[in-house]
Amino acid sequence: MTTTTLNSLARASSAYLRSAMHQPIQWHEWGEEAFALAQRENKPMLLDIGAVWCHWCHVMDRESYDDPEVAAIVNEHFIAVKVDRDERPDIDSRYQAAVSAVSGQGGWPLTAFLTPDGKPFYGGTYFPPNDGYGRPSFKRVLVSIANAYKEKNGDVMEQAKMVETTIAQNESFAGRSGRVSAGIIAAIQKSAFSMFDAQHGGFGQAPKFPHPAALDLLIERYAKSAAALRSAGPFDFAQGRQPGAAVPTNAEQLRNVIVTTLEQMANGGVYDQLAGGFHRYSVDEHWVVPHFEKMCYDNSELLKNYVHGYQATGSEFFASVARDIIRWMDEWLSDRERGGFYASQDADINMDDDGDYFTWTLAEARAVLSEEEAQVAALHYDINEVGEMHHNPAKNVLFVRASVEEIARRMSLSAGRVQDLLASARKKMYAARLQRPTPYIDKTVYVGWNSMCVSAYLEAAKVLGLENARKFALRSLDRVLAEAWKPHGARSDRADESPAPTHAVAAQLLHVVAYSDPKAEHREVSGLLDDYAATALACLDAYEATADLSYFKFARAITDAMIARFFDAVSGGFFDAEPAADGKSLGVLSTCRKPLQDSPTPAGNPMAAIALLRLHHYTGDAAYRDRAEQTLEAFAGVAEQYGIFAATYGIAVIHLLESPVQVVVIAGEGSADSANDLAAVATAGFAFNKTTLRLTASQAVAENLPPALAETISKLPQLGSGKSFAVLCSGSACQPPVSDAAELQRALQSTLEKSS
């Protein structure tokens, strides 16, 4: 049931908030108005944090927040505030910590009860409409909390004080600094090995999430160790060791983890076998039944994994998965006209739906396929009368159960015939699926997530030769820089902050480029550390993809603004958000937070450190390296405890400790083939400390190069020869130019080994 009058969320910009504008709850957005009302009426606050893609958020909306009886209780006893965790991750992260401290659980929807000044004293996640499953009904919870606030106010305030103290301690890394060492890499690798599911791939048990940063770290370590073994003598590429070696090498162990995981995920139901792209996570350890929402950031980081997995192992299957992820993102999560990557695709259509758009009954498959196609598809994707979905047992999640070769044997067909039948079946099933009601696409373009997608596309384009992906990534980044970057100190404040001071402030990056609903008022939300760090990295990637120095200049300006706004000059490291302009933060936003843990996107502090170190290599400016080192030192005493969840920190440590290796390919006039051969060698292997740059001779002048390269590249006498050549630099020294691809390969391998 819904009301005919709109609540105040009709004025919101976020798709999640706007979806609740018809509810009978008198919702407020997070801001001064709601807090002032709570204090004026001395009412506790009900805080709901969720997301438009969140299935259980939809369930609780329909079961409880649409219910007039629930609304009557809420409206009488509480000031209700609704927050979109994608729009305001700074609010979400702090209240997640608070509710975890109270209840031992977190997630979405997050349901928190606050004092009138926003201090949490009780909370949980999903509350059912009726008592059951060991959970009290939401109505009973609401009445109990309202009574406790009135009758035991002193106890409530004491609890709120304890929770605030707990989250302040949990979010602070004071006194946990130390010396940065390579030991963290070994610790993360040990954690990955101990959590590895040897049968199904991945880490841990159900529910099973992908851990892209950890996978990238392991892939790179495998690539480095395998390359060292190959240079030492005969090498079995498929096994990751020398032929006849009795003891599995570290390379072989690493290869087993990454290959098993990447293959099992891509063959599982967590991967969309028809459209491409990954769902958010699997509810089982087999990667079969997913939570069906699909996030741009999961797919951007997994895209990198499959590209890097291809580089490290040569597996064409990994390359095909990477192309398929791009196919899905191009079709569903891309603004093809203006550039930009959309945020997510929802899991469902309504409360009773659980992935029905993505799943199939056997009858549904037979209805659109020929008899032979249906036989092959049923064997390959394990489509049976009884499937995997509890809400509808006839529904099957598509996952790869039988190989092409196995089906060919069972049906007495050639492998080629089976492949043709499967291709035809996939095409028909996808066409039929497109006729179903489609889960909502949140077309919000978030700066940080968009930049992560840009970096992933540029990486895939470089390695797999995908020119269209490269062009779209650059157009998307150009849109971010045009619409979300404010270079002249224009500050746009959040609704919960008082007006900014009139004096000049540092240049600013916003958090949102565009909202999903074209009817929504566009508001400017201040960027967070993640936005700055991811965009600085995307600009550096764009510079390396184009040799256009303007991208390098953007990277430097955004990084400088990031330092000005977020860096802790006293203790090192970066805060995730800026304090309010007037020094008064609402609720627990005053809690200082320095993100270290990947959850699930790469953590802001190590991303910032990587950007600083890459800038240092291009500029020679020691201040960038110093701040990166201070940032990593701030967490050095505690990082190992996080295991695979500190993987991006581990990657940043590699950037700090290993000498940078740069390959600059100069394309001479009329020798494009030679330049292509050199560039292919330069990009073939995967190493975090390796960058590649391709220039024409006319671009290789001082004005078009960052300072560190301008010192050497622009002065090379070979620039006027008309021939293509490559320059290999490590640290602050460059080797003589080489024109032969094989010679470059030998020199690059030797340099990478010495740099580690």
Side-chain angles (χ1 to χ4, degrees):
M1 294 180 65
T2 59
T3 60
T4 54
T5 57
L6 303 180
N7 58 45
S8 69
L9 296 186
R11 299 191 297 272
S13 299
S14 144
Y16 176 63
L17 301 188
R18 290 177 66 79
S19 70
M21 71 170 75
H22 295 281
Q23 289 174 353
I25 305 284
Q26 293 171 8
W27 288 114
H28 298 267
E29 289 190 76
W30 177 278
E32 293 277 8
E33 180 184 332
F35 281 82
L37 182 61
Q39 291 175 49
R40 188 165 61 248
E41 298 189 3
N42 192 25
K43 287 183 178 180
M45 304 177 80
L46 166 63
L47 175 64
D48 171 84
I49 303 179
V52 71
W53 46 262
C54 168
H55 172 75
W56 287 102
C57 300
H58 300 324
V59 172
M60 195 161 172
D61 274 340
R62 302 298 176 263
E63 289 177 343
S64 295
Y65 294 135
D66 274 354
D67 183 344
E69 291 184 24
V70 171
I73 298 171
V74 171
N75 293 339
E76 180 180 355
H77 298 289
F78 298 90
I79 301 302
V81 176
K82 206 170 186 72
V83 169
D84 181 344
R85 64 88 41 215
D86 294 344
E87 184 183 37
R88 292 301 301 269
D90 53 331
I91 298 173
D92 176 62
S93 61
R94 286 159 174 78
Y95 284 99
Q96 289 286 349
V99 171
S100 294
V102 172
S103 66
Q105 61 179 336
W108 303 284
L110 193 76
T111 309
F113 295 93
L114 322 177
T115 62
D117 59 351
K119 305 300 191 292
F121 60 89
Y122 183 70
T125 52
Y126 164 76
F127 287 98
N130 302 302
D131 293 347
Y133 306 102
R135 292 172 180 247
S137 72
F138 191 45
K139 279 184 271 192
R140 192 146 65 89
V141 169
L142 290 168
V143 172
S144 297
I145 293 294
N147 289 338
Y149 184 78
K150 292 174 184 175
E151 298 167 9
K152 299 179 180 179
N153 191 266
D155 293 344
V156 167
M157 293 302 175
E158 187 63 28
Q159 171 78 353
K161 192 177 296 184
M162 290 172 56
V163 173
E164 185 179 23
T165 301
T166 299
I167 65 171
Q169 291 172 345
N170 289 346
E171 296 295 313
S172 171
F173 288 94
R176 302 184 189 181
S177 61
R179 293 288 299 274
V180 179
S181 79
I184 182 63
I185 312 301
I188 294 169
Q189 189 169 302
K190 181 180 178 181
S191 172
F193 285 167
S194 68
M195 294 177 66
F196 175 57
D197 181 343
Q199 183 176 358
H200 307 112
F203 308 102
Q205 305 304 314
K208 189 172 280 183
F209 288 81
H211 292 274
L215 279 172
D216 240 20
L217 180 60
L218 298 177
I219 293 168
E220 200 259 6
R221 292 296 92 179
Y222 167 69
K224 284 280 184 70
S225 55
L229 288 171
R230 280 197 295 273
S231 67
F235 183 77
D236 186 336
F237 195 80
Q239 296 297 319
R241 57 176 162 170
Q242 275 84 15
V247 180
T249 62
N250 183 57
E252 184 181 15
Q253 290 177 289
L254 287 166
R255 188 184 192 283
N256 182 46
V257 171
I258 60 179
V259 169
T260 302
T261 300
L262 292 177
E263 288 182 348
Q264 292 287 338
M265 285 197 303
N267 285 324
V270 75
Y271 187 69
D272 187 338
Q273 299 295 331
L274 298 182
F278 282 90
H279 300 290
R280 197 162 68 94
Y281 69 93
S282 174
V283 301
D284 59 79
E285 63 187 16
H286 308 88
W287 299 110
V288 171
V289 181
H291 249 226
F292 288 94
E293 60 270 11
K294 297 166 89 171
M295 313 301 297
C296 71
Y297 58 74
D298 285 326
N299 283 280
S300 73
E301 301 314 282
L302 286 164
L303 173 56
K304 293 177 189 174
N305 287 162
Y306 282 91
V307 170
H308 295 155
Y310 165 69
Q311 285 180 285
T313 68
S315 168
E316 287 296 335
F317 175 61
F318 295 161
S320 70
V321 174
R323 295 187 190 96
D324 217 31
I325 293 171
I326 290 175
R327 173 174 70 95
W328 174 73
M329 294 182 75
D330 279 353
E331 185 172 358
W332 292 99
L333 288 195
S334 299
D335 185 333
R336 307 310 296 177
E337 181 182 346
R338 294 176 294 174
F341 293 89
Y342 300 144
S344 62
Q345 182 175 26
D346 209 340
D348 48 44
I349 304 299
N350 55 49
M351 187 177 72
D352 301 318
D353 169 19
D354 189 1
D356 287 355
Y357 173 78
F358 300 99
T359 54
W360 292 78
T361 65
L362 184 57
E364 286 171 338
R366 286 173 172 167
V368 299
L369 302 177
S370 70
E371 184 176 345
E372 198 174 24
E373 288 168 341
Q375 278 185 284
V376 169
L379 289 170
H380 187 61
Y381 293 124
D382 198 44
I383 308 173
N384 298 298
E385 293 285 356
V386 178
E388 295 79 20
M389 302 306 297
H390 294 300
H391 80 294
N392 182 355
K395 279 283 194 175
N396 292 262
V397 179
L398 303 187
F399 67 98
V400 177
R401 181 64 178 266
S403 68
V404 168
E405 292 72 24
E406 182 182 345
I407 296 169
R409 287 194 301 271
R410 290 178 63 174
M411 295 184 64
S412 300
L413 298 171
S414 69
R417 175 61 179 160
V418 172
Q419 287 176 328
D420 289 343
L421 287 167
L422 273 176
S424 176
R426 277 195 297 268
K427 186 175 180 180
K428 289 181 179 180
M429 291 175 75
Y430 187 40
R433 197 176 88 175
L434 291 175
Q435 302 306 309
R436 299 174 179 177
T438 305
Y440 179 75
I441 301 290
D442 180 7
K443 294 184 178 181
T444 306
V445 179
Y446 290 106
V447 168
W449 295 357
N450 197 90
S451 294
M452 290 164 60
C453 293
V454 167
S455 290
Y457 262 50
L458 290 175
E459 186 77 350
K462 176 179 69 177
V463 174
L464 302 176
L466 306 176
E467 181 60 21
N468 287 339
R470 174 182 176 274
K471 288 180 179 177
F472 185 76
L474 294 172
R475 181 154 24 112
S476 299
L477 181 58
D478 289 347
R479 183 180 179 192
V480 168
L481 296 174
E483 299 182 27
W485 173 238
K486 309 294 182 182
H488 303 299
R491 175 166 179 149
S492 57
D493 294 289
R494 301 190 181 107
D496 57 301
E497 295 174 350
S498 60
T502 55
H503 61 267
V505 294
Q508 186 193 31
L509 191 65
L510 302 179
H511 179 59
V512 181
V513 175
Y515 283 95
S516 187
D517 189 344
K519 298 176 184 176
E521 174 191 347
H522 179 76
R523 62 184 61 187
E524 294 189 338
V525 180
S526 298
L528 302 168
L529 172 64
D530 290 9
D531 297 307
Y532 284 76
T535 306
L537 289 170
C539 288
L540 288 172
D541 293 334
Y543 169 64
E544 289 165 8
T546 63
D548 183 340
L549 194 65
S550 65
Y551 288 119
F552 170 79
K553 292 177 178 177
F554 275 118
R556 190 166 191 175
I558 291 168
T559 302
D560 289 345
M562 178 179 74
I563 294 167
R565 289 180 175 273
F566 305 104
F567 187 68
D568 182 353
V570 176
S571 302
F574 290 84
F575 298 113
D576 67 326
E578 294 181 84
D582 61 356
K584 297 178 182 178
S585 296
L586 299 179
V588 294
L589 285 187
S590 59
T591 303
C592 294
R593 181 172 179 269
K594 294 180 180 179
L596 165 67
Q597 181 175 335
D598 301 329
S599 58
T601 54
N605 268 282
M607 276 204 300
I610 293 168
L612 289 165
L613 290 165
R614 288 177 64 181
L615 273 174
H616 168 250
H617 302 329
Y618 277 123
T619 64
D621 187 340
Y624 288 133
R625 179 184 170 86
D626 290 345
R627 288 192 177 95
E629 193 163 11
Q630 290 173 49
T631 297
L632 297 177
E633 286 176 344
F635 309 102
V638 72
E640 287 190 14
Q641 300 173 20
Y642 288 84
I644 64 171
F645 295 94
T648 305
Y649 178 88
I651 294 169
V653 169
I654 291 172
H655 279 273
L656 176 72
L657 298 182
E658 296 190 353
S659 297
V661 175
Q662 293 177 321
V663 186
V664 182
V665 176
I666 308 295
E669 293 182 15
S671 57
D673 290 344
S674 176
N676 290 340
D677 292 342
L678 292 168
V681 168
T683 60
F686 172 44
F688 289 128
N689 65 325
K690 184 193 71 172
T691 58
T692 60
L693 187 65
R694 180 169 175 165
L695 305 161
T696 62
S698 60
Q699 288 176 313
V701 294
E703 293 77 13
N704 285 347
L705 293 168
L709 290 179
E711 287 295 314
T712 51
I713 302 299
S714 63
K715 298 175 182 177
L716 292 171
Q718 290 86 350
L719 288 174
S721 68
K723 297 180 179 179
S724 296
F725 61 92
V727 179
L728 180 59
C729 303
S730 180
S732 57
C734 294
Q735 300 179 25
V738 296
S739 299
D740 180 70
E743 184 180 352
L744 175 62
Q745 187 172 29
R746 288 190 295 270
L748 180 57
Q749 182 57 50
S750 174
T751 302
L752 285 170
E753 288 178 20
K754 292 174 183 176
S755 70
S756 300

